[in-house]
Amino acid sequence: MFALLGRIAVNHPWKVIALWLFAAVAVVGLAPKLTPTTDQSAFLPSHYESVQAMNLQQQAFPNDSTPAALIVVERSDGAPLTATDTAATVAVAGDLTGLGVNGVTGIQVTPPSENRLIQVVSVQMTKVTDPNDKTQSDAVKKLRDELKKRVEGTELKAGVTGIAAQTLDQTESANKGMAIIGAATVVLILVLLLIIFRSPVIALLPIITIGAISSTVGGLIAMVAKAFDLKVDSSVNSLLTVVLFGVGTDYILFLMFRYRERLRAGEDPKTAMISAVTRVGEAITSAAGAVIIAFMALTLSTLGMFRALGPALAIAVAVAMLAGLTLVPAIASKLGTKVFWPSKSWQREPQGVLFAALGRGLGRRPGLVALASGAVLVALSVAALGFNPTFDLSSGSTSDTAESSVYSKELLKGMPAGATQPSLVYLRSDARLSEAQLGAYRTALAATPGVGQVGAPRLTTGGEVAEFQVTLTDQPESDAALATVRGPLRATAHSAAPPGTVAYVGGLTSVFVDFKAAMEHDYKVVFPVAAILIAVVLALLLRSVVAPWYLMASVGLGFAATLGAAVLVFQQAQGNSGLIFSLPVIMYMFVVALGTDYNILMVARLREESQQGHDPRTAAALSVRHTGPTIAAAGVILAGTFASMMLAGSTVLSQMGFAISVGIAIAAFVMAMFFTPALTALLGRRAWWPGRTGRPDGDEPDDAEWYDQSTRQTTEHAYTG
């Protein structure tokens, strides 16, 4: 099949290129607009309490909403606010109201704090869930500009914080980070490919090809999202960019390294490209298949964001695979050997001193190599036991100098930490709630550990539903706040509810509590299913029921080792309370799924060398020599791409970038380069059971015989290809 695909691409390149152009125009023209959402509650199933609370809120208080922004006012000298200062704050709020800022639905001045160190002005805004809707962001910018003018020259200072302000600052920080990541990715790919191939043509090939297919990918995702009513998270665009460039470049590298190898073996350019597609096509397809399966397993998640993200990333990988096996060969066949211009190094076999030496060492002592590389993985995996997921992202997603961060801290001078996003407790009854019931219930909530204050209840017109605004003593997204809501607050809300009533705890913290519970459930379902399906792909590729077991075990060790490395750096060395809650899923998507590519590429070459009659140790040595450079180049590019995220100045992006880059480095330089070929050499012919590949185990050479034979076969291989 892959030989036929190669012949079509090479013999009819213009038709293949034209077909891709036609498909791109058709998909982009027919695709609906992709509208992602930032509403986290939209991703949760309806049986979770936070969603039930939100639904009750929409029924009972359809116009109710938590203040989107908070204006914090204080004296410049830090002294308590005077009556004159309070009057000035009221006047400023009146001026801001009179401006009629678009998106602002109400501005309300609250009394000064008990210690009179701060005064808060609540700003209600039109609710938005589309991240492309800039109404709230523009409103915050306008309020900040006007507020600065009105307190300038007075004894007051003020700033805007709250969810809308934090979102604006986080978005600006993320945009800066993504610009750095995008630039670093392109530069890294160009520089490394120039070093490897010494050709600007081949260096630009991934950039041009992947850029050309990106619009097609976006259109296909929009079609699928509309057809299946999928809720797409706002982070999908940034992830798609990284996946497309990372996976696409890897597949192009796999192909071009084998193309160059066939040219050195004496084949003409067209025959060499057909041979390259034939020989590496199965490995690329299997690698892509494993990644697609891993991503599609996310559709089993209870969280809507992952159910949508999985198919989106799977589409990106599928399109990148098709482009790597059809579009790239078509373009390369038109260029011929000019794809390596101006370098002439493609004409001669390099000495390959480093990887040849690594291969010889592994072949001589596979047991020692397996033990050493396995020990590294196990040692790092132990640290993963200390992993603590956290939702406390606000402090790390913006700089400490951002206005929302500064005035969020200033707010703590006079208000409980949870004032920026209070929890909401709803009490529902079939009859009108009495004053005695409401008073007793409010008292019980206020006495709950971790609760700072409870506002007076708001009632519906009929008095059947009451809303209590509960301000926690901790930041709403902190571990302590989640523990309060998950434990004592929900327990008290339910047990203290009067007979004949039902209570629900809602708000952002409650959403995070349910989010965490849903993710813990998903870990038990998604990961095992994905592992089984990937093992099936490996079994089909290798025609073996043995190899998939130790390959998946190595991938599992790599995952644990990566998580352990992140725990050591961010929790132990830097003293953070935990790692971002979604890190295991992110690692699963990029480290397990993409890291499996390298294992598959190495094992496919091991099987190919064994089929040519080499004994297991020689096959391992030759595989490391000839596939090692490909895996090393792909690993460095992909790991470097993600490592650039650490330049964005955000703790969240730093944790993601570090974990993914280290995970990919482990997958490439520990698992695929050493652990997998060493285990395969130790298992010998048994690794391919029930297939019959290579020499019988009884005929395998001893160390001295192997060294002489390996040297001879490696030399022969360099000239015969």
Side-chain angles (χ1 to χ4, degrees), residues 23 117 174 315 319 608:
L117 290 180
I315 289 171
V319 174
E608 182 181 328

Side-chain angles (χ1 to χ4, degrees), residues 160-203:
V160 183
T161 185
I163 295 298
Q166 290 172 352
T167 300
L168 170 62
D169 292 339
Q170 290 168 11
T171 300
E172 292 180 346
S173 177
N175 289 340
K176 176 184 175 183
M178 288 310 300
I180 294 173
I181 293 167
T185 299
V186 172
V187 170
L188 187 67
I189 291 174
L190 288 173
V191 170
L192 288 178
L193 290 183
L194 279 171
I195 293 173
I196 294 167
F197 292 101
R198 302 172 190 175
S199 167
V201 179
I202 202 169

Side-chain angles (χ1 to χ4, degrees), residues 26 37 84 173 181 273 314 322 337 391 401 408 420 427 434 446 473-474 572 574-575 577 592 629 631 648 669:
T37 180
T84 303
S173 177
I181 293 167
M273 181 54 71
L322 289 173
T337 57
F391 286 80
T401 58
S408 180
T420 56
L427 193 62
S434 67
T473 56
D474 300 290
Q572 301 298 326
Q574 295 188 5
S577 62
V592 175
I631 292 176
F669 297 101

Side-chain angles (χ1 to χ4, degrees), residues 146-356:
E146 296 297 332
L147 183 63
K148 183 178 180 180
K149 295 176 184 177
R150 282 161 176 74
V151 299
E152 190 174 2
T154 71
E155 296 181 337
L156 300 177
K157 65 177 184 178
V160 183
T161 185
I163 295 298
Q166 290 172 352
T167 300
L168 170 62
D169 292 339
Q170 290 168 11
T171 300
E172 292 180 346
S173 177
N175 289 340
K176 176 184 175 183
M178 288 310 300
I180 294 173
I181 293 167
T185 299
V186 172
V187 170
L188 187 67
I189 291 174
L190 288 173
V191 170
L192 288 178
L193 290 183
L194 279 171
I195 293 173
I196 294 167
F197 292 101
R198 302 172 190 175
S199 167
V201 179
I202 202 169
L204 289 170
L205 186 60
I207 307 298
I208 296 172
T209 305
I210 296 166
I213 66 175
S214 60
S215 58
T216 305
V217 171
L220 289 173
I221 292 171
M223 289 179 174
V224 172
K226 182 179 180 180
F228 295 95
D229 192 27
L230 298 176
K231 301 290 184 181
V232 180
D233 182 66
S234 58
S235 63
V236 67
N237 289 328
S238 57
L239 289 176
L240 279 175
T241 301
V242 178
V243 168
L244 272 175
F245 275 99
V247 174
T249 302
D250 273 6
Y251 296 162
I252 292 173
L253 277 175
F254 295 169
L255 182 70
M256 297 310 295
F257 267 100
R258 186 57 70 97
Y259 177 50
R260 187 174 67 178
E261 183 180 323
R262 300 317 303 164
L263 286 172
R264 287 169 176 168
E267 295 180 354
D268 65 87
K270 290 185 179 295
T271 303
M273 181 54 71
I274 295 172
S275 297
V277 174
T278 303
R279 291 175 179 241
V280 84
E282 187 176 23
I284 290 178
T285 303
S286 299
V291 176
I292 290 170
I293 285 172
F295 286 156
M296 289 302 293
L298 290 173
T299 58
L300 299 175
S301 170
T302 56
L303 296 170
M305 64 180 295
F306 294 133
R307 285 201 305 274
L309 187 60
L313 297 180
I315 289 171
V317 173
V319 174
M321 176 196 70
L322 289 173
L325 294 177
T326 58
L327 182 59
V328 173
I331 295 173
S333 69
K334 292 303 298 179
L335 295 172
T337 57
K338 292 185 179 66
V339 75
F340 299 108
W341 179 87
S343 173
K344 301 292 185 182
S345 62
W346 62 269
Q347 297 175 343
R348 57 188 180 276
E349 179 77 20
Q351 294 297 318
V353 176
L354 175 60
F355 290 99

Side-chain angles (χ1 to χ4, degrees), residues 258 362 542 550-551 599-612 614-624 627 672 675-681 688 693:
R258 186 57 70 97
L362 187 148
L542 304 174
Y550 68 82
L551 290 176
N599 251 352
I600 288 176
L601 189 67
M602 178 60 76
V603 175
R605 186 62 183 245
L606 280 163
R607 182 172 179 271
E608 182 181 328
E609 296 292 350
S610 297
Q611 286 176 329
Q612 293 178 8
H614 298 299
D615 64 85
R617 294 187 176 193
T618 303
L622 292 174
S623 296
V624 170
T627 307
F675 194 61
T676 295
L679 284 180
T680 305
W688 314 113
T693 304

